[in-house]
């Protein structure tokens, strides 16, 4: 009995087991370094929220960077940012290792469309327009990564000469279209003979194309407008170089102490080996450069571009056709610009003032050519309230033109063979505009009405500038243009808009092809005029698509027609 009781007690008593293992330390966490960008872009997204399945949330800084500590294993992440779709993903985290990642968020459907037509409430310019930004400028098929070549793909644009960046907009002459870069007038945005744009592609921040019926803030042109903006340097230090078979591009940028930002870029190409296969004795080279420095609202920038076509006498044997050794002829174009611009914004008040100095040169194959020295300034003011915007501005340029012989081999070249194109003269261009925009019926109807006045004067001979009494041997011609303009945007319902515009657009006589150094000449021919009107309907469709139909009417007067015989 005693043995049975002892056995029962033994069975009912807690079994003696091995002691529990000693607690181990938690596995080390992993530090996740990351940065958030917009998909298809190098644009960082500041303020993006990153939430882990562990319950921890961090916010990206002004450069899109963040740090997050995670336990080992599979961790789910959710990334959120304003105007971007939520990104869900799972990261496999290894214990004790640092991980560096980049995440890219897709813009929401209503912000994905890169083609925009008319106004936002704070738009700088009103009218029928297309806007392209960011990396979309470099990824459109047919542009070869060049943001400016997108102009040739826009509705109403034709390219009369294959492979040359010459465009007619809604039937107008290429010489009536205007090119603006950061607000300053430039003679061209493309290398004339070969190559792409005259600005490094990665430096272009936005391109706006106005085919017509735009507001009074644009002047001096009767055709379309290409308005391009460069960007300031990004945070940190960056450098890149791209090598192509016959071309090299480079860019470097940095943010310096004191929030000074500087970016330098350039391009050089020599396609002579390729051209020589088809045209022995021909040599083609080109280059461009850009420098931009930003500090607070102040911007200083310098740009320049050069194209040269050299033709040497050729006997038919390639070895005898070296344009660098044999006397020949050159077709050369070149321009340089230096701009100092100050911008200021306070509440609803915007201010911009700029001064620009430049030199242009152009020579034809005979060696004769023209050089232009110019100094211009502009001032733009804008005041915006909830339902009304008032804008005003003025600009002016003084210039001096001189015929020259750029040929070193042909001493008989005479600059005056170009006639009025290469004749010595001084020019004065001035303009001013005033316009108002009213947003009515809870911002469903926006109406812009304005007008501008432009004055053009050219004087030949010994007079200093326009206004002096001309002598018998001198000649002074003055043109005045008064251009009324109006635009309208009507929101019929969500996603459905009507756009309309009309106005008079005038400019002085122009060469059929835009070239450096050729303007403010032959004013006695009278102004070129275009009465432009356009009406369009724009509708937003599902899945981020949109459709737009536009009809336009243009009446051209005294316009220099483009003739391809000039290239024969």
């Amino acid at each position: 009995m005693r043995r049975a009781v002892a056995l029962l007690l033994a069975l009912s008593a807690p079994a003696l087991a091995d002691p529990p293992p000693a607690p181990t330390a938690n596995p080390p966490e992993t530090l996740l370094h990351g940065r958030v960008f917009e998909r298809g872009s190098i644009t960082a997204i500041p303020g993006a929220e990153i939430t882990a399945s562990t319950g921890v949330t961090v916010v990206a800084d002004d450069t899109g960077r963040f740090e997050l500590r995670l336990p080992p294993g599979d961790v789910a992440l959710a990334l959120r940012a304003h105007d971007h779709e939520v990104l869900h993903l799972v990261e496999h985290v290894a214990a004790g290792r640092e991980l560096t990642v980049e995440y890219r968020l897709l813009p929401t459907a209503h912000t994905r469309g890169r083609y925009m037509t008319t106004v936002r409430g704070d738009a700088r310019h009103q009218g029928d327009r297309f806007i392209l930004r960011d990396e979309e400028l470099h990824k459109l098929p047919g542009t070869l990564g060049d943001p400016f070549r997108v102009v040739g793909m826009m509705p109403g644009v034709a390219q009369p000469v294959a492979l040359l960046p010459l465009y007619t907009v809604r039937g107008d002459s290429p010489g009536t279209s205007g090119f603006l870069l950061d607000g300053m007038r430039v003679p061209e945005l493309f290398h004339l003979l070969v190559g792409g744009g005259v600005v490094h592609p990665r430096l272009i921040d936005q391109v706006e194309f106005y085919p017509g019926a735009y507001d009074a803030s644009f002047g001096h042109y009767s055709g379309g407008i290409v308005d391009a903006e460069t960007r300031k340097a990004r945070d940190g230090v960056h450098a890149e170089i791209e090598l192509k078979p016959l071309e090299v591009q480079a860019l470097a940028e940095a943010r310096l102490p004191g929030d000074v930002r500087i970016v330098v870029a350039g391009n050089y190409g020599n396609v002579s080996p390729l051209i020589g296969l088809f045209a022995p004795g021909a040599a083609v080279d080109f280059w461009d450069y850009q420098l931009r420095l930003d500090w607070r609202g102040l911007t200083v920038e310098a740009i320049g571009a050069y194209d040269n076509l050299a033709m040497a006498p050729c006997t038919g044997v390639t070895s005898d056709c070296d344009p660098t050794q044999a006397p020949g002829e050159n077709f050369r174009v070149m321009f340089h610009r230096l701009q100092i611009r100050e911008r200021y914004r306070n509440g609803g008040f915007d201010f911009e003032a700029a001064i620009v100095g430049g030199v242009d040169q152009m020579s034809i194959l005979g060696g004769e050519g023209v050089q232009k020295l110019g100094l211009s300034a502009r001032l733009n003011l804008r005041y915006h309230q909830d339902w009304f915007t008032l804008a005003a501005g003025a600009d002016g340029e003084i210039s001096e033109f001189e015929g020259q012989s750029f040929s070193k081999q042909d001493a008989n070249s005479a600059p005056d063979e170009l006639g009025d194109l290469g004749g010595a003269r001084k020019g004065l261009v001035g303009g001013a505009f005033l316009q108002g925009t009213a947003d009515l019926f809870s911002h469903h109807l926006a109406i812009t009405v304005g007008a501008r006045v432009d004055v053009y004067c050219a004087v030949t001979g010994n007079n200093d500038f326009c206004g002096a009494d001309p002598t018998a041997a001198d000649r002074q011609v003055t043109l005045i243009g008064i251009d009324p303009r109006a635009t309208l945007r009507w929101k019929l319902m969500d996603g459905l808009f009507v756009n309309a515009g009309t106005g008079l657009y005038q400019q002085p006589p122009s060469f059929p092809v835009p070239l450096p150094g050729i303007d403010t000449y032959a004013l006695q021919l009278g102004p070129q005029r275009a009465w432009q009107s356009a009406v369009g309907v724009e509708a937003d469709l599902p899945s981020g698509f949109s459709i737009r139909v536009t009809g336009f009417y243009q009446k051209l007067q005294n316009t220099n027609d483009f003739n391809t015989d000039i290239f024969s």
Side-chain angles (χ1 to χ4, degrees):
M1 175 64 69
R2 291 179 179 176
R3 291 180 179 178
V5 172
L7 179 60
L8 290 175
L9 292 174
L11 293 175
S12 62
L16 295 177
D18 295 335
T24 59
N26 292 329
E29 292 183 329
T30 291
L31 181 61
L32 182 69
H33 300 275
R35 197 173 185 189
V36 186
F37 294 92
E38 183 174 292
R39 185 182 297 181
S41 158
I42 59 173
T43 303
I45 304 179
E49 293 186 353
I50 302 91
T51 301
S53 54
T54 59
V56 178
T57 298
V58 295
V59 178
D61 63 15
D62 291 342
T63 65
R65 291 185 171 86
F66 68 91
E67 290 185 353
L68 181 63
R69 292 191 175 275
L70 300 174
D74 292 335
V75 180
L77 300 177
L79 287 81
R80 297 176 174 83
H82 180 64
D83 283 340
H84 292 79
E85 296 184 2
V86 180
L87 175 63
H88 295 278
L89 55 95
V90 175
E91 285 287 0
H92 180 73
V93 180
R97 297 183 181 179
E98 291 191 358
L99 184 63
T100 301
V101 295
E102 287 186 358
Y103 299 130
R104 299 184 181 272
L105 305 187
L106 182 68
T108 53
H110 74 277
T111 60
R112 264 202 302 270
R114 299 296 180 180
Y115 300 96
M116 299 183 176
T117 48
T118 331
V119 305
R120 297 189 306 269
D122 60 346
R124 294 181 299 121
H125 308 284
Q126 311 294 329
D128 187 22
R129 67 178 179 174
F130 297 84
I131 303 179
L132 291 101
R133 299 188 181 96
D134 301 326
E135 290 299 295
E136 304 296 334
L137 290 169
H138 311 284
K139 296 184 179 297
L140 288 179
T143 64
L144 303 178
D146 184 358
F148 293 139
R149 289 194 182 273
V150 72
V151 175
M153 305 174 62
M154 295 292 97
V157 179
Q159 190 171 356
V161 181
L163 303 180
L164 289 184
L166 301 174
Y167 303 108
T168 62
V169 180
R170 293 182 175 178
D172 218 331
S173 172
T176 61
S177 294
F179 301 135
L180 302 177
L181 183 65
D182 292 330
M184 56 181 162
R185 299 171 62 189
V186 293
E188 56 187 2
L189 288 178
F190 310 90
H191 284 290
L192 183 63
L193 302 174
V194 291
V198 299
V199 179
H200 194 288
R202 305 285 283 181
L203 193 57
I204 300 298
D205 183 59
Q206 174 175 294
V207 173
E208 298 185 13
F209 171 60
Y210 296 79
Y214 40 83
D215 68 11
S217 61
F218 287 124
H220 311 300
Y221 299 103
S222 61
I225 297 289
V226 180
D227 185 19
E229 288 283 336
T230 62
R231 63 169 177 83
K232 61 184 179 181
R234 297 169 293 175
D235 290 336
V237 179
H238 306 270
E240 61 183 68
I241 185 169
E242 182 177 359
L243 300 177
K244 301 179 181 179
L246 301 172
E247 184 179 356
V248 58
Q249 289 182 333
L251 181 146
E253 57 187 324
R255 180 180 179 181
L256 306 178
D259 199 27
V260 176
R261 299 171 184 262
I262 184 170
V263 55
V264 180
N267 178 39
Y268 174 76
N270 190 328
V271 297
S272 300
L274 179 61
I275 296 296
L277 296 177
F278 305 95
V284 177
D285 62 291
F286 60 92
W287 50 257
D288 59 65
Y289 67 89
Q290 304 88 48
L291 167 67
R292 173 167 172 161
L293 185 147
D294 290 271
W295 180 68
R296 297 181 180 177
L298 178 67
T299 300
V300 179
E301 55 189 321
I303 65 169
Y306 170 90
D307 288 90
N308 182 62
L309 167 63
M311 300 292 294
C314 181
T315 61
V317 180
T318 304
S319 60
D320 296 335
C321 300
D322 186 355
T324 63
Q325 301 295 329
E329 298 179 329
N330 290 67
F331 175 62
R332 181 166 65 95
V333 294
M334 180 177 65
F335 78 89
H336 303 274
R337 292 291 185 275
L338 174 63
Q339 174 173 254
I340 302 175
R341 176 171 63 167
E342 174 69 26
R343 288 170 293 178
Y344 172 78
R345 170 176 289 186
N346 185 4
F349 178 76
D350 290 342
F351 166 86
E352 180 197 37
I355 184 169
V356 182
V359 56
D360 300 353
Q361 290 183 352
M362 187 279 298
S363 67
I364 61 176
L365 290 175
E368 62 269 17
V370 61
Q371 176 175 279
K372 171 189 174 182
L373 300 176
L375 181 65
S376 63
R378 68 180 185 275
L379 174 67
N380 291 307
L381 305 172
R382 180 174 172 271
Y383 183 72
H384 173 69
Q385 286 297 327
D386 180 58
W387 67 275
F388 184 74
T389 300
L390 182 65
D395 64 87
E397 180 188 56
I398 55 175
S399 54
E400 183 173 5
F401 300 81
E402 181 181 358
Q404 294 187 2
S405 175
F406 295 99
S407 175
K408 297 181 180 179
Q409 292 85 12
D410 188 358
N412 295 324
S413 296
D416 58 4
E417 291 180 6
L418 290 174
D420 283 337
L421 290 178
R425 64 191 183 279
K426 299 178 179 65
L428 174 64
V429 176
F433 77 92
L434 178 66
Q435 68 181 22
T437 300
D439 285 323
L440 308 174
F441 308 113
S442 301
H443 303 285
H444 278 68
L445 178 64
I447 300 176
T448 300
V449 178
R452 66 175 298 117
V453 177
D454 294 303
V455 178
Y456 309 94
C457 178
V459 58
T460 60
N462 298 320
N463 285 313
D464 290 336
F465 280 99
C466 294
D469 293 332
T471 65
D474 299 335
R475 182 175 59 183
Q476 178 175 309
V477 182
T478 301
L479 298 179
I480 299 177
I482 302 177
D483 301 347
R485 301 174 189 176
T487 65
L488 174 148
R489 180 172 174 86
W490 184 14
K491 181 180 179 181
L492 299 178
M493 61 180 67
D494 290 340
L496 183 61
F497 303 87
V498 173
N499 308 305
T502 187
L504 180 62
Y505 301 81
Q506 301 183 77
Q507 73 173 88
S510 62
F511 195 64
V513 177
L515 292 171
I518 301 181
D519 59 82
T520 320
Y521 78 100
L523 298 186
Q524 66 274 11
L525 298 178
Q528 301 178 95
R529 295 188 179 92
W531 187 271
Q532 301 181 8
S533 298
V535 178
V537 177
E538 176 187 351
D540 295 334
L541 303 178
S543 302
F545 289 93
S546 65
I547 186 173
R548 174 184 175 192
V549 179
T550 301
F552 67 88
Y553 170 79
Q554 288 196 163
K555 183 178 180 180
L556 309 177
Q557 294 180 336
N558 202 33
T559 299
N560 289 333
D561 293 331
F562 178 76
N563 189 336
T564 56
D565 289 344
I566 63 176
F567 293 100
S568 61

